[in-house]
Amino acid sequence: MKRQLQSSDLKALLLMLVIFLFFVSKANAQHSVARQWNEVLLTGIRGDFARPTIHARNLMHISMAMYDAWAVYDEVAESYFLGKTVNGFTCPFDGVSKPVDIEAARKEIISYAAYRIIYERFLYSPGALKTIPDATNLLNDLGYDENITSTDYSTGSPAALGNYIASKVLEYGLQDGSFEDDNFQNQHYEALNPALDMDSSGNSDIIDPNRWQPLKLNVFVDQSGNPIPGGVPPFLSPEWGNVAPFALSESDKTTYWRDGNSYHVYHDPSTPPTIGVEGYLPEEYKWGFSMVSIWGAHLDPSDGVMIDISPASIGNNPAFPTNYENYRNFYDYKNGGDASQGYTENPKTGQPYIPQIVPRADYARVLAEFWADGPDSETPPGHWFSILNYVSDHPELVKKYKGEGTIINDLEWDIKGYFMLAGAMHDAAISAWGIKGWYDYLRPVSAIRFMADQGQSTDANLPNYNSEYGIPLVEGYIEQVQAGDTLAGANGENINKIKVYSWKGPNYIVSPDSTIAGVGWILAENWWPYQRPSFVTPPFAGFVSGHSTFSRAAAEVLTMLTGDPFFPGGMGEFEANKDEFLVFEDGPSVNLTLQWATYRDASDQTSLSRIWGGIHPPADDIPGRLIGEQIGIDAFNFAEKYFEGKATIPVFEAEMTAFPNPITSENSIITVAINADVTTLNVQLVNTQGQVVLSDFRTISEDMPYFKMDLKELEPGVYFLNISSEDWSATEKIVVLNSF
């Protein structure tokens, strides 16, 4: 029987509460104002829809606003946005005089800028009832009034300058190619393949086994735990390559066209392996997707396979292969893992890393869940901000920029770190999703089920042979159902079908709190990735892996920012407790700690997690790592120029410009200027439903490289002006604000 609380108990509890609140307040006070707003932003992301592209952009816009709020009073650093023209958008700024208390003014400007952007970006989020009060409470706790809305910074008001910065960043976001004003809706992309119904077996309706396929679920719950109505989630951000970048340059970009629409691809990795009559590296396609199924055989802790997951054995990868054929030497096809060599000692302590022997299955399952960022996801870009914050809090970190010179204060460290990391995450999203949208590559669940439907491609003397589309047989992992097999069916209807030894899927989980699906022989037509049944696979193409691109870019930024490839103390860690950490099945079966010696090792673990999770084949992974590496380095170097006051703003030479744009009721005539070696032009104006509302032919000359169009018949809305000649084309969004 529980005893009643006495007055002495209540006093003790109150005292404990006071002490707790004191230390929480003290801990928060030790963080910079930028860090405090970053934590509110990450909480907001966790409560929003799981949209990595959009949240990479949110992180970028808020980080660049906070950076400019900091830089406005710095003797050396120059602003990124204030008083500059960025990606065609001009942010006027007349300058301000320095206040008596610079740090207090900075704190106020940062707070109002961050608050206004967070408020606008998360006002209609599923988690708005938490995010908006969190943001308002922080503003109030810092001593500021949310009712101060003026943007007239000429008065000398730091609050007004913060509001002004936010207003211009928000305005910039309405014309950066993201279509925020249309709720980020896809403008022209359409999936070629019909949806794969996960309640059915096989994949008989797929049209092209090289292109992305949506999934049909009874209930789709995104990685942040939000139910999405409709059952068939659309491709997220297939046109994101058209979004205005940070450090990406014109020389990084290739523009492709499909169905009259442009796809910008930065750091083009070229075509992934494909299958079929004219397939490109079809054997690598089959090898890569079959490996995903085989790694699914590693997900049962009762198999007795134990491995060392410490940096003594994992990490320190050699150079990545640069062609698909060499991937076979990098990955362990049957046993899992990559070519990492481990480290002989911790360079910070001079002592060997202590081995950590755990079931391989627990390591793989925890890896898949941890790096999936679910079900309370801050998405991969936000996850790396959490890692940066973890590093910044480490007692052994010395906050010297690039590990050199004098120690800088917490605010400068956070402002610069966030600005660089956000730029890298933003560019990684643009590059990875531009590639996803153009190459439109399918996911393992589609490929494995499709190939299994076609039969086997290994032995022409065996039944059910299909050399072009069949899955390769691998003894012990991918075989044919034989007579007498438990999978043969009551009437032998499954004889000669393909079976796989892999994770058995969510139907075998009785209770996520107490049971696991385990591993066994199942019909390949019923294969599932190691994911929740209400999620299955992210709703966008696989190639290239966003996780690999984001993570490698972030690892490069953290390496350069700290001046050290190693985590502080030579070890980064995350603990996963026995029977508590996993979400959709029980586990892990033991306590284990994910460990990384370097930031790049953590990035490499991220990449492997997506293969064990059934989300990506190797062809998605390595190109993402290579692209992310370049993006991270470029973003760091680009941002650093602003810190040094030596920034060179990239100039994009537009091949087509239409003005005025937006179009108002004052003038319905626009001028279209062409900067290309063309004369005869096919002109089309298309609405957001893809309907051609105007079609014409025009000619231009060297003396008159432009023509005019009267758009007075158009209704208000968004249109796309497509101009093309025999070997040239360009597209520009046209916004009509008023009727004429």
Side-chain angles (χ1 to χ4, degrees):
M1 179 176 177
K2 296 181 180 178
R3 69 184 181 89
Q4 298 295 315
L5 284 174
Q6 305 297 318
S7 61
S8 58
D9 295 323
L10 292 174
K11 289 179 181 178
L13 286 172
L14 286 172
L15 179 61
M16 291 174 63
L17 178 61
V18 169
I19 294 172
F20 171 77
L21 292 175
F22 170 78
F23 281 108
V24 168
S25 175
K26 186 175 181 180
N28 287 337
Q30 291 174 344
H31 286 148
S32 76
V33 68
R35 168 67 176 274
Q36 292 177 69
W37 283 109
N38 180 256
E39 295 288 2
V40 172
L41 173 56
L42 292 176
T43 299
I45 291 172
R46 295 179 193 113
D48 195 16
F49 297 110
R51 303 177 293 181
T53 49
I54 292 162
H55 292 311
R57 176 177 173 270
N58 284 331
L59 287 158
M60 176 66 220
H61 287 183
I62 291 171
S63 296
M64 80 188 204
M66 293 198 299
Y67 169 75
D68 272 15
W70 174 86
V72 71
Y73 298 131
D74 194 77
E75 295 288 348
V76 177
E78 64 181 278
S79 66
Y80 170 73
F81 194 62
L82 276 176
K84 302 288 184 64
T85 297
V86 177
N87 293 314
F89 181 90
T90 300
C91 176
F93 182 56
D94 298 326
V96 291
S97 58
K98 286 190 176 181
V100 175
D101 190 339
I102 289 177
E103 292 310 309
R106 275 178 169 159
K107 185 176 179 181
E108 189 170 345
I109 301 167
I110 288 169
S111 294
Y112 275 93
Y115 174 73
R116 297 295 175 204
I117 299 173
I118 290 172
Y119 188 95
E120 290 297 322
R121 293 284 171 83
F122 293 92
L123 182 59
Y124 300 106
S125 161
L129 291 178
K130 174 172 173 53
T131 302
I132 301 305
D134 280 355
T136 305
N137 289 339
L138 176 57
L139 192 75
N140 296 157
D141 289 345
L142 293 168
Y144 309 128
D145 183 356
E146 71 271 20
N147 296 310
I148 299 175
T149 58
S150 171
T151 59
D152 183 7
Y153 60 85
S154 66
T155 63
S157 165
L161 181 53
N163 289 335
Y164 176 75
I165 292 172
S167 70
K168 301 309 288 185
V169 170
L170 292 168
E171 188 178 335
Y172 169 75
L174 296 177
Q175 58 85 70
D176 68 348
S178 67
F179 291 97
E180 180 185 352
D181 53 350
D182 194 23
N183 197 29
F184 305 104
Q185 294 297 312
N186 299 338
Q187 301 300 305
H188 50 73
Y189 173 88
E190 292 184 5
L192 173 68
N193 288 312
L196 171 60
D197 188 346
M198 293 304 296
D199 280 343
S200 301
S201 297
N203 192 5
S204 60
D205 295 332
I206 192 170
I207 296 170
D208 186 340
N210 301 306
R211 298 280 294 274
W212 181 71
Q213 182 178 37
L215 300 180
K216 180 181 179 183
L217 305 170
N218 289 329
V219 177
F220 175 72
V221 179
D222 74 11
Q223 200 68 55
S224 291
N226 299 299
I228 308 298
V232 183
F235 194 131
L236 174 73
S237 305
E239 299 137 15
W240 207 253
N242 297 354
V243 172
F246 176 63
L248 296 170
S249 68
E250 284 287 279
S251 62
D252 297 326
K253 183 176 75 174
T254 304
T255 299
Y256 293 103
W257 290 81
R258 184 165 62 223
D259 301 328
N261 300 297
S262 63
Y263 290 81
H264 295 328
V265 174
Y266 291 89
H267 296 293
D268 184 6
S270 77
T271 306
T274 58
I275 200 172
V277 176
E278 298 181 358
Y280 170 69
L281 299 176
E283 295 309 310
E284 305 314 312
Y285 176 109
K286 297 173 185 178
W287 174 85
F289 283 115
S290 66
M291 191 182 90
V292 177
S293 169
I294 289 173
W295 281 29
H298 305 156
L299 302 175
D300 189 337
S302 67
D303 65 10
V305 178
M306 307 293 285
I307 62 172
D308 177 19
I309 65 169
S310 77
S313 298
I314 291 178
N316 194 21
N317 261 314
F320 300 134
T322 55
N323 62 71
Y324 294 115
E325 294 90 338
N326 287 339
Y327 287 10
R328 298 179 184 231
N329 299 323
F330 184 79
Y331 299 94
D332 191 328
Y333 183 71
K334 291 185 177 180
N335 299 308
D338 56 21
S340 63
Q341 306 161 88
Y343 301 86
T344 56
E345 66 176 33
N346 182 334
K348 306 303 179 184
T349 65
Q351 300 298 312
Y353 286 103
I354 299 173
Q356 184 187 175
I357 311 299
V358 301
R360 176 183 60 183
D362 284 332
Y363 172 67
R365 293 189 301 156
V366 168
L367 213 61
E369 180 65 34
F370 176 75
W371 289 110
D373 309 314
D376 299 314
S377 176
E378 60 226 349
T379 72
H383 199 153
W384 279 96
F385 270 76
S386 293
I387 291 173
L388 172 57
N389 290 338
Y390 162 84
V391 170
S392 298
D393 288 343
H394 200 287
E396 294 191 38
L397 176 72
V398 179
K399 292 182 179 177
K400 293 182 177 182
Y401 177 66
K402 299 200 298 186
E404 302 169 349
T406 60
I407 295 174
I408 60 178
N409 63 43
D410 290 347
L411 179 60
E412 183 176 350
W413 174 267
D414 290 337
I415 286 288
K416 289 182 175 180
Y418 292 157
F419 183 58
M420 290 175 153
L421 182 58
M425 296 299 90
H426 183 54
D427 282 354
I430 291 170
S431 178
W433 265 258
I435 293 166
K436 288 175 184 289
W438 170 245
Y439 287 105
D440 202 30
Y441 202 49
L442 81 170
R443 294 282 189 168
V445 67
S446 295
I448 291 169
R449 288 189 175 202
F450 167 77
M451 288 191 293
D453 279 353
Q454 309 309 305
Q456 54 90 13
S457 59
T458 298
D459 191 340
N461 296 316
L462 293 177
N464 204 10
Y465 176 70
N466 187 319
S467 62
E468 290 178 350
Y469 295 107
I471 195 168
L473 299 177
V474 180
E475 185 177 358
Y477 296 98
I478 305 174
E479 300 180 356
Q480 287 184 297
V481 176
Q482 304 294 322
D485 195 309
T486 56
L487 296 174
N491 300 308
E493 62 271 18
N494 295 327
I495 292 174
N496 296 327
K497 281 187 176 183
I498 303 298
K499 65 177 182 178
V500 293
Y501 190 73
S502 193
W503 186 67
K504 293 193 292 186
N507 291 336
Y508 289 84
I509 300 172
V510 178
S511 169
D513 294 331
S514 59
T515 57
I516 67 172
V519 167
W521 286 104
I522 58 172
L523 293 176
E525 63 190 31
N526 297 324
W527 182 85
W528 281 74
Y530 185 69
Q531 302 289 325
R532 288 177 285 124
S534 56
F535 179 70
V536 186
T537 290
F540 40 82
F543 181 78
V544 295
S545 166
H547 273 67
S548 292
T549 312
F550 283 129
S551 296
R552 188 60 182 213
E556 295 303 319
V557 169
L558 267 63
T559 297
M560 298 174 78
L561 173 65
T562 61
D564 191 341
F566 287 84
F567 276 86
M571 180 95 83
E573 294 183 315
F574 174 82
E575 294 182 1
N577 293 328
K578 177 182 177 181
D579 296 332
E580 293 181 8
F581 179 70
L582 298 183
V583 175
F584 56 88
E585 69 173 2
D586 192 27
S589 66
V590 299
N591 292 326
L592 66 82
T593 303
L594 297 181
Q595 297 177 324
W596 322 286
T598 71
Y599 305 113
R600 293 173 181 132
D601 293 339
S603 169
D604 291 342
Q605 273 197 7
T606 309
S607 299
L608 295 183
S609 79
R610 305 306 274 171
I611 301 176
W612 265 310
I615 298 297
H616 287 292
D620 296 350
D621 172 22
I622 295 296
R625 299 197 209 190
L626 293 170
I627 292 168
E629 180 177 345
Q630 189 61 56
I631 286 172
I633 294 170
D634 289 348
F636 186 95
N637 291 333
F638 182 78
E640 185 174 54
K641 296 298 183 183
Y642 289 92
F643 306 160
E644 298 170 343
K646 301 176 181 178
T648 302
I649 300 174
V651 177
F652 289 83
E653 292 291 340
E655 293 186 318
M656 179 180 75
T657 304
F659 56 90
N661 187 19
I663 301 166
T664 68
S665 57
E666 297 174 0
N667 183 10
S668 64
I669 297 175
I670 66 169
T671 299
V672 182
I674 305 297
N675 179 25
D677 186 18
V678 293
T679 54
T680 303
L681 302 170
N682 179 25
V683 180
Q684 283 192 335
L685 199 66
V686 182
N687 63 22
T688 55
Q689 285 73 47
Q691 300 166 324
V692 177
V693 297
L694 185 153
S695 183
D696 199 1
F697 287 95
R698 297 296 182 99
T699 59
I700 60 172
S701 65
E702 185 176 346
D703 296 331
M704 192 174 292
Y706 63 88
F707 62 90
K708 295 182 180 292
M709 299 175 64
D710 191 343
L711 304 182
K712 65 182 178 182
E713 302 299 326
L714 295 182
E715 295 293 325
V718 176
Y719 299 85
F720 299 94
L721 179 61
N722 299 325
I723 310 290
S724 62
S725 65
E726 184 175 349
D727 56 359
W728 174 88
S729 58
T731 297
E732 184 159 339
K733 181 176 75 169
I734 305 294
V735 179
V736 179
L737 295 179
N738 309 102
S739 299
F740 301 102

